[in-house]
Amino acid sequence: MPIAKLSRTSLSGLAPINPVLKIGLSVGLMVVALCLQKLPAMAVLVGGLLLLTAQLRIRLVGLLYGVLTLTIFALSSAWLSGDWPKAVFSTLRLLAIVLPAPVLALTTPPSALIRALQALRLPSFLTLSLMIIWRFFPLIQQELQRIWEANQLRGIDLSRQPRQWFSGLMVPLVFQMVTYADEVTVGLQTRGYDPEAPRSCSQPLRWQHIDTLFCGVVALWLGVVGYLEWVR
Amino acid sequence: MTGWNTAITGSVEDASETVLEVVDLSFTHVGQTALTLKTVNLTLQAGELVVLSGATGSGKSTLLNCITGIAPEHTGGKLSGQIGSRGQDLTAWSVRQRSQLMGMMLQNVETQLFTDQVWEEVVFGLENWNLPPGEIQALAQTALTEFDLVEQQAWTIRQLSAGQKQRLLLACLLTRQPDLLLLDEPFAFLDAAGVQHLLECLQKQVQQGQAVLLIEHRLELVRGLCDRAYRIEAGEVRPIAVSALKSFTPATVEATAQNPFTGTVRATETASKPLHPPPETSPGRLVLQTHQLSWGGYPPFPDLQVENGDTVLLQGDNGCGKTTLLRLLSGLLKPATGQLKILGQDVTGQNVVQIARTVGFVLQNPNHQLFADSVEAEIQQSKVAPAQARQWLEQLNLSHCADRHPQALSQGQKRRLALGAVLARQPQICLLDEIMVGQDPTSLEWMLNVLTTFTQQGGTLIFTSHDPGVAERLQPRATSLS
């Protein structure tokens, strides 16, 4: 079936890593990025993060946008400060702060992420909200696109007629969203969900050998970063 | 009804075979004074399959909502009467509590699936009931095996076809073996294989002693399976003979259609009134040509040679690319290879707005295409004079709701309105993507009459539909997509 072939996705080699460990590492890496002061240490930290980023399938257009944004940031920073090494350092720090969360989130299946948040004892309505956003965000995106297209089919090009945005885009979108919200609420109840009721967990998170191995590699990486920053 | 146990318990102690008992149920929608349902009495025994039929907007879904507790809990409105199961009074139970006893499949399956993966979806419902992990694993595995989804258990939900999603939801709803299964137009978007699979599933459930109550317009599909049938008319439920269950065919729908709001109107007469024909084209003129169109991962689409006045049906299973081909013809998608010619001009590189001058497209979901404040204004958006707009509304049996907001209409009415708004623009070619679903036979007749008139006046129709009755009526040239 072509649709199945088109949409089949595969997660990276980081997928089996314990999501709680990934959440902890994301926070840790951002703290380290804020503490570092030397360019070589920052370069190694960002280098490691770029290796992790390579696990993701990034579209060429997205990559080009990213490179362009960073270049503009570096150039404007250098122009404002008049200090090229400082501008490069700031750009690397920006990368080190921005990259960890999306890299680790995008290499984690949504269901594993939800289980991690449940394991962290977050309230059930919060984890469910996240799950619903994850599930329905693409649907909302699709709705927006369909409404945009429906306008085009009526001969209205919204990109050239912003006056039509309210009646042509916002009104049908709000109607769709409200309808979805109502239907999802009902749908949840038909599936037995109650925010007040206790839920069981059929696949509790467990520490695995791969998690130990991952911890070892990360410790080595951060060890090198620490050596370059504080010892050398 | 007296003697019902009102306690909420997980297990059913009463051995009664009556899994649903609706007694003197009446319902009034918010802001209305007229009763939508009038003193409805209905019973279902274990192992029975009962079909509810009726015109669009007659109250079928409202009755299902009342039984499941969605009305009035979520919709508002006033309910009187009682709903029971095996000696228990469920009237005060919430939707969630009732879901222990009844599996409910709503019209839009997407809104009942919450996770991103097949296995996780089955497990989600079981975790909600706080079952022990060991039991969850066993129940989920059994459900996937029973509904032939073992191979897909690691798939994401997006990978599933419409039929597979429905099957997954059924597997989820039936993991705890509820007494009753309620389905609202489950066959609407299914291809022949999906229909067959669902029928087999339902048959199996009934044989296992489950009761099934379903709403359906395509009655020929369920006639062989159902034990009893009811028809809702003006809020009243009346039993009808199973042998009287007839779907839409040219013979079954009389030329005279009863419009409950404006009186009896001869549908064929109305449809034959002069509409506003598409710009004149000489008879037998080639209006649309495709050559080796391809897009995405689909195999190349068959070449089309369509003349004015032609009616073309795009056939194929769910996921074979029917909608994609329509989107290519409308310009919403640009082909990877191949050529599209409309009225002899190569329009492959043209944008949608340019192509929309000659091609109208009615989308599967009418909600995306309705923008105006009132039904009449929706037609007039196409720069149609008020008198002509009223004529269109009459043709599509929408005159009685001309002042209502388009989003307040039923799905079937919305589809007719979206069709009217597109045809009022007088396109040369009209593309329809599964817009005949959710129409009762009379409403469908209104729609098909308008379409027939459109093609008789030289318009070209290219459409998709899984309903054989529609094909029988429009007598199209079929093009199969593999």
Side-chain angles (χ1 to χ4, degrees), chain B residues 300-323:
Chain B
F301 293 105
D303 290 347
L304 298 176
Q305 303 266 333
V306 187
E307 295 179 353
N308 60 326
D310 274 359
T311 303
V312 178
L313 168 66
L314 302 180
Q315 281 182 322
D317 291 342
N318 287 127
C320 72
K322 298 186 293 293
T323 300

Side-chain angles (χ1 to χ4, degrees), chain A residues 37-75:
Chain A
Q37 298 297 330
K38 291 182 181 170
L39 187 59
M42 188 62 88
V44 172
L45 183 72
V46 172
L49 273 169
L50 290 175
L51 276 178
L52 292 178
T53 312
Q55 298 279 318
L56 300 175
R57 284 182 187 172
I58 303 170
R59 284 195 294 180
L60 187 64
V61 180
L63 193 66
L64 288 175
Y65 271 123
V67 171
L68 186 69
T69 309
L70 283 174
T71 310
I72 291 169
F73 179 83
L75 289 175

Side-chain angles (χ1 to χ4, degrees), chain B residues 15 26 72 149 159 163-164 166 191 228 289 298 317 373 380 397 467:
Chain B
S26 294
L149 286 165
Q159 286 175 251
Q164 285 170 326
Q166 234 174 23
D191 56 27
R228 281 183 294 132
Q289 256 180 301
Y298 294 100
D317 291 342
D373 294 334
Q380 284 181 9
N397 192 21
D467 189 344

Side-chain angles (χ1 to χ4, degrees), chain B residues 35-40 52-60 63 230-240 258 260 440-442:
Chain B
L35 288 170
T36 308
L37 296 174
K38 296 173 189 166
T39 328
V40 173
L52 265 179
S53 65
T56 310
S58 60
K60 301 185 300 294
L63 176 57
Y230 291 87
R231 183 168 180 79
I232 302 190
E233 276 174 349
E236 289 178 19
V237 175
R238 296 196 181 99
I240 53 170
Q258 176 69 37
D440 62 82
T442 307

Side-chain angles (χ1 to χ4, degrees), chain A residues 1-9 109-112 115 118 128 131-132 134-136 138-139 142-143 145-147 149-157 160 167-169 171-172 175-176 179-180 182-194 197-204, chain B residues 70 73-74 95-96 99 104 106 108 110-116 119-131 133 136-137 155-159 161 164 169 172-173 296-299 318-319 327 330 332 352-353 356 361 363 365 367-371 378 381 405 407 421 425:
Chain A
M1 183 179 300
I3 288 290
K5 281 178 199 162
L6 284 173
S7 59
R8 194 163 292 188
T9 54
S111 49
R115 290 192 197 292
Q118 280 175 336
L128 183 85
M131 188 165 78
I132 287 177
W134 209 287
R135 166 86 175 89
F136 288 95
L139 224 57
Q142 203 181 41
E143 290 295 314
Q145 194 192 341
R146 294 278 181 272
I147 295 167
E149 290 172 351
N151 276 280
Q152 290 180 312
L153 290 170
R154 279 203 171 188
I156 300 165
D157 187 353
R160 293 181 184 182
S167 62
L169 189 66
V171 171
F175 267 108
Q176 280 294 89
T179 308
Y180 261 123
D182 286 346
E183 288 180 357
V184 166
T185 309
V186 171
L188 273 170
Q189 285 195 291
T190 64
R191 298 292 310 280
Y193 180 78
D194 179 356
R199 290 185 84 237
S200 52
C201 181
S202 60
Q203 291 168 299
Chain B
I70 294 167
E73 188 181 328
H74 290 275
V95 178
R96 179 180 187 258
S99 74
M104 314 162 195
L106 308 176
N108 185 358
E110 290 279 354
T111 56
Q112 284 184 282
L113 300 174
F114 299 96
T115 68
D116 64 316
W119 173 266
E120 293 291 336
E121 193 58 50
V122 182
V123 159
F124 172 75
L126 297 168
E127 288 179 341
N128 286 338
W129 291 110
N130 205 21
L131 297 181
I136 289 177
Q137 300 287 338
W155 285 24
T156 62
I157 302 292
R158 281 192 301 170
Q159 286 175 251
S161 69
Q164 285 170 326
L169 183 57
C172 294
L173 295 174
Y298 294 100
N318 287 127
R327 288 167 65 79
S330 69
L332 286 173
V352 192
V353 177
F361 188 4
L363 304 170
N365 185 345
N367 293 321
H368 299 142
Q369 275 184 297
L370 303 176
F371 306 107
E378 195 67 53
Q381 274 198 4
H405 196 284
Q407 299 291 351
R425 287 172 58 82

